[in-house]
Coordinates of all heavy atoms in Angstrom, one line a residue:
M1 N -1.7 5.7 -18.0 CA -1.3 5.7 -16.6 C 0.3 5.6 -16.6 O 0.9 4.8 -17.3 CB -1.9 4.5 -15.9 CG -1.5 4.3 -14.5 SD -2.2 2.9 -13.6 CE -3.9 3.2 -13.7
N2 N 0.9 6.4 -15.8 CA 2.3 6.4 -15.7 C 2.8 5.2 -15.0 O 2.1 4.5 -14.3 CB 3.0 7.7 -15.3 CG 2.9 7.9 -13.7 OD1 3.0 6.9 -13.0 ND2 2.8 9.1 -13.3
D3 N 4.1 4.9 -15.1 CA 4.7 3.7 -14.5 C 4.6 3.6 -13.0 O 4.3 2.6 -12.4 CB 6.2 3.6 -14.8 CG 6.4 3.2 -16.3 OD1 5.4 2.8 -17.0 OD2 7.5 3.5 -16.8
L4 N 4.8 4.7 -12.3 CA 4.6 4.7 -10.8 C 3.2 4.5 -10.4 O 3.0 3.8 -9.4 CB 5.1 6.1 -10.2 CG 6.6 6.3 -10.1 CD1 7.0 7.6 -9.6 CD2 7.3 5.2 -9.3
L5 N 2.2 5.0 -11.1 CA 0.8 4.8 -10.7 C 0.5 3.3 -10.9 O -0.2 2.7 -10.1 CB -0.1 5.6 -11.5 CG -0.2 7.1 -11.1 CD1 -1.0 7.9 -12.1 CD2 -0.7 7.3 -9.7
K6 N 1.0 2.7 -12.0 CA 0.8 1.3 -12.3 C 1.4 0.4 -11.2 O 0.8 -0.5 -10.7 CB 1.3 0.9 -13.7 CG 1.2 -0.5 -14.0 CD -0.2 -1.0 -14.2 CE -0.3 -2.4 -14.7 NZ -1.2 -3.2 -13.9
Q7 N 2.6 0.8 -10.9 CA 3.4 0.1 -9.8 C 2.6 0.2 -8.5 O 2.5 -0.8 -7.8 CB 4.8 0.6 -9.7 CG 5.7 -0.2 -8.9 CD 7.1 0.4 -8.9 OE1 7.4 1.4 -9.5 NE2 8.0 -0.3 -8.3
L8 N 2.1 1.4 -8.2 CA 1.3 1.5 -6.9 C 0.1 0.7 -7.0 O -0.2 0.0 -6.0 CB 0.9 3.0 -6.8 CG 0.0 3.3 -5.6 CD1 0.7 3.0 -4.3 CD2 -0.4 4.8 -5.6
E9 N -0.6 0.6 -8.1 CA -1.8 -0.2 -8.2 C -1.5 -1.7 -8.0 O -2.2 -2.4 -7.3 CB -2.5 0.0 -9.5 CG -3.8 -0.7 -9.6 CD -4.8 -0.1 -10.5 OE1 -4.5 0.6 -11.4 OE2 -6.0 -0.4 -10.3
D10 N -0.4 -2.1 -8.6 CA 0.0 -3.5 -8.5 C 0.3 -3.9 -7.0 O -0.1 -4.9 -6.5 CB 1.2 -3.8 -9.4 CG 0.9 -3.8 -10.9 OD1 -0.3 -3.8 -11.2 OD2 1.8 -3.7 -11.7
E11 N 1.0 -3.0 -6.4 CA 1.4 -3.2 -5.0 C 0.2 -3.2 -4.0 O 0.0 -4.1 -3.2 CB 2.4 -2.2 -4.5 CG 3.8 -2.3 -5.1 CD 4.5 -3.6 -4.8 OE1 4.4 -4.1 -3.7 OE2 5.3 -4.1 -5.6
C12 N -0.7 -2.3 -4.2 CA -1.9 -2.2 -3.4 C -2.8 -3.4 -3.6 O -3.4 -3.9 -2.7 CB -2.7 -0.9 -3.7 SG -1.9 0.6 -3.1
Q13 N -2.9 -3.8 -4.8 CA -3.7 -4.9 -5.2 C -3.3 -6.2 -4.5 O -4.1 -7.0 -4.0 CB -3.7 -5.1 -6.7 CG -4.8 -6.0 -7.2 CD -4.9 -6.0 -8.7 OE1 -3.9 -5.6 -9.4 NE2 -6.0 -6.3 -9.3
S14 N -2.0 -6.4 -4.3 CA -1.5 -7.6 -3.7 C -1.2 -7.5 -2.2 O -0.8 -8.5 -1.6 CB -0.2 -8.0 -4.5 OG 0.9 -7.1 -4.2
H15 N -1.3 -6.3 -1.7 CA -0.9 -6.1 -0.3 C -2.0 -6.6 0.7 O -3.2 -6.5 0.5 CB -0.7 -4.6 0.0 CG -0.3 -4.3 1.4 ND1 0.8 -4.8 1.9 CD2 -0.9 -3.5 2.3 CE1 1.0 -4.3 3.2 NE2 -0.1 -3.5 3.4
D16 N -1.5 -7.2 1.8 CA -2.3 -7.7 2.8 C -2.3 -6.6 3.9 O -1.4 -6.5 4.7 CB -1.8 -9.0 3.4 CG -2.5 -9.5 4.6 OD1 -3.6 -8.9 5.0 OD2 -2.0 -10.5 5.3
F17 N -3.4 -5.8 3.9 CA -3.4 -4.6 4.8 C -3.5 -5.1 6.2 O -3.2 -4.3 7.1 CB -4.6 -3.7 4.4 CG -4.3 -2.9 3.2 CD1 -4.6 -3.3 1.9 CD2 -3.7 -1.6 3.3 CE1 -4.3 -2.6 0.8 CE2 -3.4 -0.9 2.2 CZ -3.7 -1.3 0.9
F18 N -4.0 -6.3 6.5 CA -4.1 -6.8 7.8 C -2.9 -7.6 8.3 O -2.9 -8.1 9.4 CB -5.4 -7.6 8.0 CG -6.6 -6.8 7.8 CD1 -7.3 -6.8 6.6 CD2 -7.1 -6.1 8.8 CE1 -8.5 -6.0 6.4 CE2 -8.3 -5.3 8.7 CZ -8.9 -5.3 7.5
G19 N -1.9 -7.6 7.5 CA -0.7 -8.3 7.8 C 0.0 -7.8 9.0 O 0.8 -8.5 9.7
Q20 N -0.2 -6.5 9.4 CA 0.4 -5.9 10.6 C -0.2 -6.6 11.9 O 0.4 -6.4 12.9 CB 0.1 -4.4 10.6 CG -1.3 -4.0 10.8 CD -1.5 -2.5 10.6 OE1 -0.6 -1.8 10.4 NE2 -2.7 -2.1 10.8
Y21 N -1.2 -7.3 11.7 CA -1.8 -8.0 12.9 C -1.4 -9.5 13.0 O -1.9 -10.2 13.9 CB -3.3 -7.9 12.9 CG -3.8 -6.5 12.9 CD1 -4.5 -5.9 11.8 CD2 -3.6 -5.6 14.0 CE1 -4.9 -4.6 11.8 CE2 -4.0 -4.3 14.0 CZ -4.7 -3.8 12.9 OH -5.2 -2.5 12.9
A22 N -0.5 -9.9 12.1 CA -0.2 -11.3 12.0 C 0.7 -11.7 13.3 O 1.5 -10.9 13.8 CB 0.6 -11.6 10.8
D23 N 0.4 -12.9 13.7 CA 1.2 -13.5 14.8 C 2.6 -14.0 14.3 O 3.6 -14.0 15.0 CB 0.5 -14.7 15.5 CG -0.7 -14.2 16.2 OD1 -0.7 -13.1 16.7 OD2 -1.6 -15.0 16.3
D24 N 2.6 -14.3 13.0 CA 3.9 -14.8 12.4 C 4.7 -13.6 12.1 O 4.4 -12.8 11.3 CB 3.5 -15.6 11.2 CG 4.7 -16.3 10.5 OD1 5.8 -15.7 10.6 OD2 4.5 -17.3 9.9
F25 N 5.9 -13.6 12.6 CA 6.8 -12.4 12.4 C 7.2 -12.2 10.9 O 7.3 -11.1 10.5 CB 8.1 -12.6 13.2 CG 9.1 -11.4 13.0 CD1 8.8 -10.1 13.5 CD2 10.2 -11.6 12.3 CE1 9.6 -9.1 13.3 CE2 11.1 -10.5 12.1 CZ 10.8 -9.3 12.6
K26 N 7.4 -13.3 10.2 CA 7.7 -13.2 8.8 C 6.6 -12.6 8.0 O 6.8 -11.8 7.1 CB 8.1 -14.6 8.2 CG 9.4 -15.1 8.7 CD 9.8 -16.4 8.1 CE 11.2 -16.9 8.6 NZ 11.6 -18.1 8.0
V27 N 5.4 -12.9 8.3 CA 4.2 -12.3 7.6 C 4.1 -10.9 8.0 O 3.9 -10.0 7.1 CB 2.9 -13.1 8.0 CG1 1.7 -12.4 7.5 CG2 3.0 -14.5 7.5
W28 N 4.3 -10.5 9.3 CA 4.2 -9.2 9.7 C 5.3 -8.3 9.0 O 5.1 -7.2 8.5 CB 4.4 -9.1 11.2 CG 4.5 -7.7 11.7 CD1 3.4 -6.9 12.1 CD2 5.6 -6.8 11.9 NE1 3.9 -5.6 12.5 CE2 5.2 -5.6 12.3 CE3 7.0 -7.1 11.7 CZ2 6.1 -4.6 12.6 CZ3 7.9 -6.0 11.9 CH2 7.4 -4.8 12.4
Q29 N 6.5 -8.9 9.0 CA 7.7 -8.2 8.4 C 7.5 -7.9 6.9 O 7.7 -6.8 6.4 CB 8.9 -9.0 8.6 CG 10.2 -8.3 8.3 CD 11.4 -9.1 8.6 OE1 11.5 -10.3 8.5 NE2 12.5 -8.4 9.1
A30 N 7.0 -8.9 6.2 CA 6.7 -8.7 4.8 C 5.6 -7.7 4.5 O 5.8 -6.8 3.6 CB 6.3 -10.1 4.1
S31 N 4.6 -7.7 5.3 CA 3.5 -6.7 5.2 C 4.1 -5.3 5.5 O 3.7 -4.4 4.8 CB 2.4 -7.1 6.2 OG 1.4 -6.1 6.1
F32 N 4.9 -5.2 6.6 CA 5.5 -3.9 7.0 C 6.3 -3.4 5.9 O 6.2 -2.2 5.5 CB 6.3 -4.2 8.2 CG 7.0 -2.9 8.8 CD1 6.3 -2.0 9.5 CD2 8.3 -2.7 8.5 CE1 6.9 -0.8 10.0 CE2 8.9 -1.6 9.0 CZ 8.2 -0.6 9.7
R33 N 7.2 -4.2 5.3 CA 8.0 -3.7 4.2 C 7.2 -3.3 3.0 O 7.5 -2.3 2.4 CB 9.0 -4.8 3.8 CG 10.1 -5.1 4.8 CD 11.1 -6.1 4.3 NE 12.1 -6.3 5.3 CZ 12.8 -7.4 5.4 NH1 12.6 -8.4 4.6 NH2 13.8 -7.5 6.3
Q34 N 6.2 -4.1 2.6 CA 5.4 -3.7 1.4 C 4.6 -2.4 1.7 O 4.5 -1.6 0.8 CB 4.5 -4.8 1.0 CG 3.8 -4.6 -0.3 CD 2.9 -5.7 -0.8 OE1 2.4 -6.5 0.0 NE2 2.7 -5.8 -2.1
K35 N 4.1 -2.3 2.9 CA 3.4 -1.0 3.3 C 4.3 0.2 3.2 O 4.0 1.3 2.7 CB 2.8 -1.1 4.7 CG 2.1 0.1 5.1 CD 0.8 0.4 4.3 CE -0.1 1.4 5.0 NZ 0.3 2.8 4.8
N36 N 5.6 0.0 3.7 CA 6.5 1.1 3.6 C 6.8 1.5 2.1 O 7.0 2.6 1.7 CB 7.8 0.8 4.3 CG 7.7 1.0 5.8 OD1 6.8 1.7 6.3 ND2 8.6 0.4 6.5
Y37 N 6.9 0.4 1.3 CA 7.2 0.7 -0.2 C 6.0 1.4 -0.8 O 6.2 2.3 -1.6 CB 7.4 -0.7 -0.8 CG 7.7 -0.6 -2.3 CD1 9.0 0.0 -2.7 CD2 6.8 -1.0 -3.3 CE1 9.3 0.1 -4.0 CE2 7.2 -0.9 -4.6 CZ 8.4 -0.3 -5.0 OH 8.7 -0.2 -6.3
I38 N 4.8 1.0 -0.5 CA 3.6 1.6 -1.0 C 3.5 3.1 -0.5 O 3.3 4.0 -1.3 CB 2.3 0.9 -0.5 CG1 2.2 -0.5 -1.2 CG2 1.0 1.7 -0.7 CD1 1.1 -1.4 -0.7
D39 N 3.8 3.3 0.7 CA 3.8 4.7 1.2 C 4.8 5.5 0.5 O 4.6 6.7 0.2 CB 4.1 4.7 2.7 CG 3.0 4.2 3.6 OD1 1.8 4.0 3.1 OD2 3.2 3.9 4.8
G40 N 6.0 5.0 0.2 CA 7.0 5.7 -0.6 C 6.5 6.0 -2.0 O 6.8 7.1 -2.5
L41 N 5.8 5.1 -2.6 CA 5.3 5.4 -3.9 C 4.3 6.5 -3.9 O 4.3 7.4 -4.7 CB 4.6 4.1 -4.5 CG 5.5 3.0 -5.0 CD1 4.7 1.8 -5.4 CD2 6.4 3.4 -6.1
V42 N 3.4 6.5 -2.9 CA 2.4 7.6 -2.7 C 3.2 8.9 -2.5 O 2.8 9.9 -3.1 CB 1.5 7.3 -1.6 CG1 0.6 8.5 -1.3 CG2 0.6 6.1 -1.9
R43 N 4.2 8.9 -1.7 CA 5.0 10.2 -1.5 C 5.7 10.6 -2.8 O 5.7 11.8 -3.1 CB 6.1 10.0 -0.4 CG 5.5 10.1 1.0 CD 6.6 10.2 2.0 NE 7.5 9.1 2.0 CZ 7.3 7.9 2.6 NH1 6.2 7.7 3.3 NH2 8.2 6.9 2.5
K44 N 6.3 9.7 -3.6 CA 6.9 10.0 -4.9 C 5.9 10.6 -5.8 O 6.3 11.4 -6.6 CB 7.5 8.8 -5.5 CG 8.8 8.3 -5.0 CD 9.4 7.1 -5.7 CE 10.6 6.6 -5.1 NZ 11.2 5.5 -5.8
L45 N 4.7 10.2 -5.7 CA 3.6 10.8 -6.5 C 3.0 12.0 -5.9 O 1.9 12.5 -6.3 CB 2.5 9.7 -6.8 CG 3.0 8.5 -7.7 CD1 2.1 7.3 -7.5 CD2 3.0 9.0 -9.1
N46 N 3.6 12.5 -4.9 CA 3.2 13.8 -4.2 C 1.8 13.7 -3.7 O 1.1 14.7 -3.7 CB 3.4 15.0 -5.2 CG 4.8 15.2 -5.6 OD1 5.7 15.1 -4.7 ND2 5.1 15.4 -6.8
N47 N 1.4 12.6 -3.2 CA 0.1 12.4 -2.6 C -1.0 12.9 -3.6 O -2.0 13.5 -3.2 CB -0.1 13.1 -1.3 CG 0.7 12.5 -0.2 OD1 0.7 11.2 0.0 ND2 1.5 13.2 0.5
S48 N -0.7 12.7 -4.9 CA -1.7 13.2 -5.9 C -3.0 12.5 -5.8 O -3.2 11.5 -5.2 CB -1.1 12.8 -7.3 OG -1.1 11.4 -7.5
K49 N -4.0 13.2 -6.4 CA -5.4 12.7 -6.3 C -5.4 11.2 -6.9 O -6.1 10.4 -6.3 CB -6.3 13.6 -7.1 CG -7.7 13.1 -7.1 CD -8.6 14.1 -7.9 CE -10.0 13.6 -8.1 NZ -10.8 14.3 -8.9
E50 N -4.8 11.0 -8.0 CA -4.8 9.7 -8.6 C -4.1 8.6 -7.7 O -4.7 7.5 -7.5 CB -4.0 9.7 -9.9 CG -4.6 10.6 -11.0 CD -4.2 12.0 -10.9 OE1 -3.4 12.4 -10.0 OE2 -4.7 12.8 -11.8
A51 N -3.0 9.0 -7.0 CA -2.4 8.0 -6.1 C -3.3 7.7 -4.9 O -3.4 6.5 -4.5 CB -1.0 8.6 -5.6
V52 N -3.9 8.7 -4.3 CA -4.8 8.5 -3.2 C -6.0 7.6 -3.6 O -6.4 6.7 -2.9 CB -5.2 9.8 -2.6 CG1 -6.3 9.6 -1.5 CG2 -4.0 10.5 -2.0
E53 N -6.5 7.9 -4.8 CA -7.7 7.1 -5.3 C -7.3 5.6 -5.5 O -8.1 4.7 -5.1 CB -8.2 7.7 -6.6 CG -9.0 9.0 -6.4 CD -9.4 9.6 -7.7 OE1 -9.0 9.1 -8.8 OE2 -10.1 10.6 -7.7
I54 N -6.1 5.4 -6.0 CA -5.7 4.0 -6.2 C -5.5 3.3 -4.9 O -6.0 2.2 -4.6 CB -4.4 4.0 -7.0 CG1 -4.6 4.3 -8.5 CG2 -3.7 2.6 -6.9 CD1 -3.4 4.5 -9.3
Y55 N -4.8 4.0 -3.9 CA -4.6 3.4 -2.6 C -5.9 3.1 -1.9 O -6.1 2.0 -1.4 CB -3.8 4.4 -1.8 CG -3.5 3.9 -0.4 CD1 -2.3 3.2 -0.1 CD2 -4.3 4.2 0.7 CE1 -2.1 2.7 1.1 CE2 -4.1 3.7 1.9 CZ -2.9 3.0 2.2 OH -2.7 2.5 3.4
N56 N -6.8 4.1 -1.9 CA -8.1 3.9 -1.3 C -9.0 2.8 -1.9 O -9.9 2.3 -1.3 CB -8.8 5.2 -1.1 CG -8.2 6.1 -0.1 OD1 -7.5 5.6 0.8 ND2 -8.5 7.4 -0.2
R57 N -8.8 2.6 -3.2 CA -9.6 1.6 -3.9 C -9.3 0.2 -3.3 O -10.2 -0.7 -3.3 CB -9.2 1.6 -5.4 CG -10.1 0.6 -6.2 CD -9.7 0.7 -7.7 NE -9.6 2.1 -8.2 CZ -8.7 2.5 -9.0 NH1 -7.7 1.7 -9.5 NH2 -8.6 3.8 -9.4
Y58 N -8.1 -0.1 -2.8 CA -7.7 -1.4 -2.4 C -7.7 -1.5 -0.8 O -7.8 -2.6 -0.3 CB -6.4 -1.8 -3.0 CG -6.5 -1.9 -4.5 CD1 -6.0 -0.9 -5.3 CD2 -7.0 -3.1 -5.0 CE1 -6.1 -1.1 -6.7 CE2 -7.2 -3.2 -6.4 CZ -6.7 -2.2 -7.2 OH -6.8 -2.3 -8.6
A59 N -7.5 -0.3 -0.2 CA -7.3 -0.3 1.3 C -8.7 -0.5 2.0 O -9.7 0.2 1.6 CB -6.7 0.9 1.7
P60 N -8.8 -1.3 3.0 CA -10.0 -1.3 3.8 C -10.2 0.0 4.4 O -9.3 0.9 4.5 CB -9.7 -2.4 4.9 CG -8.6 -3.2 4.3 CD -7.8 -2.3 3.5
E61 N -11.5 0.3 4.7 CA -11.9 1.6 5.2 C -11.0 2.2 6.3 O -10.6 3.4 6.3 CB -13.3 1.6 5.7 CG -13.9 3.0 6.0 CD -15.4 2.9 6.3 OE1 -16.1 2.0 5.9 OE2 -15.8 3.9 7.0
Q62 N -10.6 1.4 7.3 CA -9.8 1.9 8.4 C -8.4 2.2 8.0 O -7.7 2.8 8.8 CB -9.9 0.9 9.6 CG -9.2 -0.4 9.3 CD -10.2 -1.5 8.8 OE1 -11.1 -1.2 8.1 NE2 -10.1 -2.7 9.3
F63 N -7.9 1.8 6.8 CA -6.6 2.2 6.4 C -6.5 3.2 5.3 O -5.4 3.6 4.9 CB -5.9 0.9 5.9 CG -5.7 -0.2 6.9 CD1 -6.5 -1.3 6.8 CD2 -4.8 0.0 7.9 CE1 -6.4 -2.3 7.8 CE2 -4.7 -1.0 8.9 CZ -5.5 -2.2 8.8
Q64 N -7.7 3.7 4.9 CA -7.7 4.7 3.8 C -7.1 6.0 4.2 O -7.1 6.4 5.4 CB -9.1 4.9 3.3 CG -9.6 3.6 2.6 CD -10.9 3.8 2.0 OE1 -11.6 4.8 2.0 NE2 -11.4 2.7 1.3
I65 N -6.6 6.7 3.2 CA -6.0 8.1 3.5 C -6.9 9.1 2.8 O -7.7 8.9 1.9 CB -4.6 8.2 3.0 CG1 -4.5 7.7 1.5 CG2 -3.7 7.4 3.9 CD1 -3.1 7.9 0.9

């Protein structure tokens, strides 16, 4: 597994996908930043099959791509 795929998996594994619904602004902001970072990794990987599979493995159904 290349470094970007490993990094994507680590980020998805630790990401709170429901953080965007937090009442606490700091929690929302951290979740927003991490989601943007994850999206950037997926784009760097050209939305490859492997990247999408990793993302969808950790994302709840309503957030899958």
Side-chain angles (χ1 to χ4, degrees):
M1 180 182 296
N2 79 34
D3 291 340
L4 283 178
L5 286 173
K6 176 66 174 136
Q7 193 172 4
L8 175 63
E9 183 154 24
D10 291 345
E11 292 293 328
C12 287
Q13 195 171 23
S14 68
H15 182 57
D16 176 8
F17 285 89
F18 293 99
Q20 66 185 1
Y21 301 113
D23 292 330
D24 184 330
F25 179 71
K26 288 183 181 183
V27 172
W28 177 87
Q29 189 175 40
S31 178
F32 180 81
R33 286 182 179 156
Q34 188 176 26
K35 178 68 166 78
N36 281 341
Y37 183 70
I38 289 169
D39 290 345
L41 289 173
V42 172
R43 280 192 303 275
K44 280 183 185 178
L45 291 160
N46 298 315
N47 292 310
S48 68
K49 179 182 175 186
E50 295 87 357
V52 171
E53 285 175 354
I54 289 170
Y55 181 89
N56 287 340
R57 185 179 311 140
Y58 297 99
E61 188 175 338
Q62 64 266 40
F63 297 109
Q64 292 184 359
I65 51 177

